[in-house]
Amino acid sequence: MVGIIMGSTSDMPVMQSAIDVLKQLGIETEVDIVSAHRTPDKLFDYGKNAHERGIQVIIAGAGGAAHLPGMIASLSPLPVIGVPVKSRNSIDGWDSVLSILQMPGGVPVATVALDGAQNAGILAAQILGASDKGIRDRILTYKEGLKEKVIAGAASLKK
């Protein structure tokens, strides 16, 4: 199971693509709002206990100061994938990117592109697929579908 958390409901339009791709790959998700600044007790509880609820990977999306992914990574034994979100109060998204990307040694956060929740979902699936052949096979099928879309698009240009 993949835990998908975000700092506020305004992040949902971006984070929805992670939910969608994981659903397409047949991977269960748990979605919640966990604000690093407004609900710190909830953040601590989530970070310390997510693995006990069966979550295997956490995707954390945040805009602005974007402390959520790093704080979760500091508390959890699980892999954390950070999604920088370009929010209305951000500095064109760069503050979010750098806050998530520049973690201190010992507190890794795998960081995807700005608003890159789809890739976060795929990466979470690949992490799970490393030890689950069923998921790995679905990822291979998904990637084959991506290849076929590109080939079909290229063929349509030649007509």
Side-chain angles (χ1 to χ4, degrees):
M1 177 171 21
V2 176
I4 299 175
I5 57 175
M6 61 207 84
S8 71
T9 56
S10 64
D11 299 330
M12 187 55 124
V14 169
M15 300 305 289
Q16 187 63 50
S17 61
I19 297 164
D20 293 345
V21 75
L22 288 164
K23 183 177 182 180
Q24 182 180 347
L25 293 168
I27 297 170
E28 184 181 354
T29 60
E30 173 189 277
V31 181
D32 203 353
I33 305 298
V34 180
S35 171
H37 303 110
R38 295 174 295 242
T39 62
D41 291 337
K42 184 175 183 178
L43 175 135
F44 272 77
D45 180 62
Y46 191 95
K48 290 183 176 186
N49 298 306
H51 65 283
E52 293 179 7
R53 292 194 315 278
I55 292 175
Q56 297 165 286
V57 180
I58 298 170
I59 299 173
H67 291 117
L68 179 62
M71 288 301 297
I72 288 293
S74 75
L75 296 163
S76 178
L78 301 174
V80 175
I81 303 167
V83 179
V85 175
K86 185 177 178 181
S87 59
R88 64 173 174 71
N89 66 335
S90 74
I91 305 167
D92 207 28
W94 280 107
D95 46 348
S96 304
V97 171
L98 294 173
S99 291
I100 297 171
L101 189 64
Q102 292 295 113
M103 294 302 301
V107 187
V109 174
T111 308
V112 296
L114 184 65
D115 292 344
Q118 180 183 10
N119 277 351
I122 294 166
L123 180 55
Q126 290 175 319
I127 291 168
L128 297 175
S131 61
D132 183 316
K133 185 178 181 330
I135 293 173
R136 188 167 54 248
D137 288 345
R138 292 193 298 274
I139 292 166
L140 289 168
T141 300
Y142 176 83
K143 289 189 173 215
E144 184 65 27
L146 294 176
K147 180 179 90 174
E148 289 171 7
K149 277 185 186 177
V150 170
I151 292 169
S156 71
L157 293 175
K158 295 178 182 179
K159 292 182 180 181

